């Protein structure tokens, strides 16, 4: 299998680099830690290692060193579409090189072989009350798929540490192949009462299959959106809550299913992935209150009312980014190219004009710029996926690509169980007293 072959060939050199850092340079200082960082959600503390992606506050995400426009340009385009093969992105994240079209298709073919769900997954989802949030269903399904984890089986059969990554890769390929089916089934069952099992057509790519299984009317348009969506949501370095949850759980040698279920749970928080659902809800509230796109003044007042009621404005601000999120820009460009006159898009555009002003006036948010969630729901809504509590499931399908690539490499490089040190409040106060004493 191509990913196995390519990673295997790189491993000796990566292992040597990691060994040298750990053994020969362990004492080199890379950061100092302040009380503000300790009590402030560990913001900015440099304490994780990943080569899959990196986020620059002034520039945004780079996948294996490539910005979003560079990634979209370089990856081979899917047959019949304008966006790249998702399999090509997975190859880039896993291998660190831009694949040829044939290599991207090989990953797609690998997914097609594995894209089937055991019967009990359907039964389990259907056994849940209809008003269950789709992120609960997704997390349950992922966890339940872990019954067949290759990693867990081989671990108990005495697998050697050097081979962990191979079993991790098997589980990651199985999981990422099955996720579109899980997501599409949740969608069709929960909102339309359909219990037909989705079928993955091996002649079509990941994006086109997803569009078919979701049952949208513009399959070609939605296939391109799905490709773009999964690619840009795949990774955002390792410190974001979902990636970090996956990494933490994976570091205990829990399998990829346990680990990704934890990532899904983290993504379900309104300050993280669920903001995309909240964001569309906020836009629709504006629309219904004003009977369409309001005046700038009305929107300005509405935004202030949200802040004054103690809520955040979803889709704006970021823990790391200090500029417009390039994932926002990529989606805005897609929308303007494909449906420039859409009413919700015009509203999102007006929000982009007003909300950063309001956040700046309030003066709390370190960044008033839009993040990825500010626009993603508007695109789904246009293509008819209007059940917005489903949106974070889509984020989850995309995020799996990046976090599983990280998970495979973490096992390949023998990254240890994560275990930071905690302090008591008294210890921090003592540190303050000590710092105030003359040297
Ligand atoms: N609306 C209102 N207040 C905000 C916003 C916002 N969009 N963004 C930040 N703030 C507040 C924040 O709540 C905090 O207030 P307080 O001091 O009262 O606790 C203050 O500004 C400083 O926060 P920051 O340091 O700028 O942001 P932080 O790193 O703590 O949090 C987010 C980052 C993304 C959680 C925050 O900007 C936010 O809540 N945004 C809205 C929710 C959202 O869009 N989340 C999605 C992020 C992307 N993703 O998909 O995960
Ligand atoms: C993400 O994609 O994970 C979000 O932008 C949040 C983050 O990076 O902290």
């Amino acid at each position: 299998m191509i990913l196995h072959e390519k990673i295997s060939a790189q491993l000796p050199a990566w292992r040597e680099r990691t060994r040298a850092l750990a053994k020969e340079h362990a004492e080199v200082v890379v950061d100092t830690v302040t009380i503000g960082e300790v009590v402030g959600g560990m913001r900015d503390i440099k304490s994780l290692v990943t080569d899959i992606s990196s986020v620059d506050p002034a520039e945004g995400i780079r996948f294996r060193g490539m910005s979003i426009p560079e990634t979209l340009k370089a990856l081979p385009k899917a047959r019949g579409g304008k966006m790249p093969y998702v399999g090509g992105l997975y190859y880039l994240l896993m291998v660190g090189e831009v694949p040829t079209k044939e290599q991207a298709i090989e990953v797609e073919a690998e997914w097609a072989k594995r894209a089937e769900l055991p019967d009990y997954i359907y039964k389990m989802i259907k056994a849940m009350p209809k008003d269950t949030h789709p992120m609960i269903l997704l997390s349950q399904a992922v966890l339940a798929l872990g019954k067949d984890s290759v990693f867990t089986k081989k671990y108990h059969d005495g697998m050697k540490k050097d081979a962990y990554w191979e079993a991790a890769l098997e589980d990651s390929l199985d999981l990422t192949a099955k996720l579109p089916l899980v997501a599409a089934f949740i969608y069709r069952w929960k909102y339309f009462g359909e219990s037909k099992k989705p079928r993955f057509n091996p002649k079509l790519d990941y994006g086109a299959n997803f569009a078919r299984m979701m049952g949208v009317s513009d399959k070609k348009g939605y296939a391109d959106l799905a490709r773009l969506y999964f690619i840009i949501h795949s990774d955002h370095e390792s410190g974001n809550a979902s990636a970090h949850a996956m990494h933490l759980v994976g570091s205990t040698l829990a399998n990829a299913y346990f680990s990704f279920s934890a990532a899904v749970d983290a993504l379900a928080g309104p300050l993280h992935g669920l903001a995309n659902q909240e964001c569309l809800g906020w836009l629709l509230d504006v629309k219904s209150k004003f009977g369409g796109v309001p005046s700038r003044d009305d929107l300005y007042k509405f935004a202030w009312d949200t802040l004054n009621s103690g809520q955040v404005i979803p889709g704006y601000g970021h823990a790391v980014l200090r500029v417009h999120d390039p994932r926002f820009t990529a989606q805005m460009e897609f929308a303007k190219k494909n449906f420039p006159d859409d009413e919700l898009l015009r509203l999102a555009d007006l929000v982009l004009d007003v909300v950063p002003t309001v956040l700046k006036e309030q003066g709390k948010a370190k960044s008033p710029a839009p993040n990825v969630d500010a626009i993603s729901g508007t695109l789904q809504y246009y293509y008819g996926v209007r059940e917005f509590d489903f949106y974070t499931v889509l984020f989850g399908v995309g995020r799996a690509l990046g976090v599983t690539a990280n998970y495979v490499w973490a096992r390949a490089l023998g990254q240890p169980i994560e275990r930071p040190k905690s302090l008591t409040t008294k210890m921090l106060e003592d540190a303050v007293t000590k710092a105030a004493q003359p040297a």
Side-chain angles (χ1 to χ4, degrees):
M1 208 273 292
I2 189 143
L3 296 179
H4 183 278
E5 220 174 89
K6 292 280 174 181
I7 294 173
S8 194
Q10 297 179 21
L11 264 185
W14 278 104
R15 282 180 170 159
E16 174 49 28
R17 287 170 74 184
T18 305
R19 188 208 60 78
L21 288 170
K23 301 285 179 227
E24 291 160 28
H25 308 290
E27 305 305 323
V28 174
V29 175
V30 288
D31 207 359
T32 51
V33 179
T34 65
I35 289 187
E37 289 169 332
V38 172
V39 299
M42 299 193 277
R43 202 72 80 259
D44 292 337
I45 299 177
K46 299 184 182 77
S47 51
L48 293 161
V49 187
T50 177
D51 292 282
I52 309 295
S53 76
S54 168
V55 177
D56 184 295
E59 196 184 44
I61 184 74
R62 281 185 178 270
F63 300 122
R64 293 287 193 168
M66 292 165 66
S67 68
I68 287 186
E70 287 165 359
T71 304
L72 295 179
K73 191 160 175 241
L75 291 178
K77 302 291 165 292
R79 189 154 65 95
K82 294 194 172 69
M83 288 293 154
Y85 282 110
V86 180
L89 183 270
Y90 205 42
Y91 183 104
L92 173 69
L93 297 181
M94 284 279 189
V95 175
E97 293 161 10
V98 174
T100 61
K101 189 172 176 181
E102 289 65 36
Q103 288 167 329
I105 290 174
E106 255 191 78
V107 177
E108 295 274 347
E110 197 59 43
W111 275 333
K113 276 197 270 174
R114 299 164 189 252
E116 230 181 327
L117 292 180
D119 218 40
Y120 70 87
I121 296 290
Y122 297 110
K123 285 194 183 127
M124 189 190 71
I125 293 173
K126 286 196 283 185
M128 291 300 290
K130 265 279 167 64
D131 61 353
T132 306
H133 193 280
M135 285 300 274
I136 296 178
L137 301 177
L138 176 65
S139 185
Q140 280 180 312
V142 168
L143 198 57
L145 282 168
K147 180 181 89 58
D148 296 320
S149 165
V150 174
F151 187 94
T152 299
K153 183 176 180 316
K154 290 203 166 168
Y155 187 83
H156 291 298
D157 289 347
M159 167 173 59
K160 295 246 169 23
K161 196 172 177 184
D162 270 7
Y164 286 175
W165 73 273
E166 295 172 298
L169 178 61
E170 280 301 308
D171 280 351
S172 297
L173 281 163
D174 280 336
L175 173 62
T176 47
K178 293 176 194 317
L179 279 174
L181 285 92
V182 173
F185 183 73
I186 291 173
Y187 183 69
R188 297 306 308 174
W189 177 77
K190 180 173 164 63
Y191 305 105
F192 304 95
E194 284 175 20
S195 25
K196 207 172 104 206
K197 296 176 187 171
R199 256 198 56 251
F200 197 96
N201 179 348
K203 296 201 178 93
L204 300 175
D205 72 298
Y206 205 78
N209 264 297
F210 192 63
R212 265 188 55 255
M213 295 189 295
M214 285 288 287
V216 292
S217 50
D218 179 359
K219 295 191 176 42
K220 196 169 148 52
Y222 191 77
D224 253 345
L225 173 61
R227 294 175 189 120
L228 173 68
Y229 188 101
F230 295 151
I231 288 171
I232 64 175
H233 284 80
S234 61
D235 209 29
H236 216 232
E237 67 175 35
S238 285
N240 70 76
S242 49
H244 193 189
M246 172 101 190
H247 179 69
L248 170 65
V249 178
S251 81
T252 70
L253 300 187
N255 65 45
Y257 302 92
F258 282 121
S259 310
F260 185 63
S261 172
V264 168
D265 300 344
L267 206 57
L271 295 187
H272 191 23
L274 203 84
N276 63 10
Q277 139 177 357
E278 305 281 300
C279 195
L280 197 82
W282 195 83
L283 290 184
L284 294 181
D285 283 350
V286 172
K287 227 178 111 189
S288 89
K289 173 155 186 186
F290 299 103
V293 180
S295 69
R296 197 180 186 285
D297 286 353
D298 282 342
L299 184 62
Y300 175 87
K301 190 172 168 315
F302 189 92
W304 264 115
D305 288 347
T306 302
L307 294 182
N308 289 334
S309 69
Q311 291 166 285
V312 297
I313 301 181
Y316 285 78
H318 200 272
V320 178
L321 287 171
R322 295 295 171 256
V323 290
H324 282 209
D325 190 332
R327 299 171 297 177
F328 169 86
T329 310
Q331 294 179 95
M332 194 52 132
E333 281 171 13
F334 183 95
K336 289 205 165 157
K337 202 178 277 173
N338 290 291
F339 44 93
D341 302 324
D342 180 62
E343 193 185 37
L344 209 52
L345 180 63
R346 284 196 289 116
L347 175 56
D349 230 355
L350 184 63
V351 171
L352 175 63
D353 182 30
V354 171
V355 165
T357 311
V358 171
L359 286 175
K360 269 192 227 151
E361 283 171 9
Q362 191 204 32
K364 273 170 59 171
K366 292 196 188 66
S367 166
N371 63 52
V372 64
D373 297 323
I375 186 75
S376 54
T378 303
L379 280 77
Q380 295 296 327
Y381 202 83
Y382 173 79
Y383 285 100
V385 180
R386 298 194 162 177
E387 300 73 13
F388 51 91
D389 61 352
F390 180 74
Y391 291 171
T392 317
V393 172
L394 299 168
F395 197 153
V397 177
R399 184 50 50 103
L401 302 165
V403 296
T404 53
N406 274 287
Y407 169 83
V408 169
W409 275 96
R411 298 293 77 73
L413 299 177
Q415 290 188 359
I417 185 166
E418 217 180 64
R419 201 333 185 161
K421 179 81 187 86
S422 54
L423 299 167
T424 63
T425 305
K426 174 81 170 53
M427 288 170 186
L428 289 177
E429 287 162 352
D430 289 347
V432 173
T433 310
K434 200 168 161 212
Q437 281 163 3

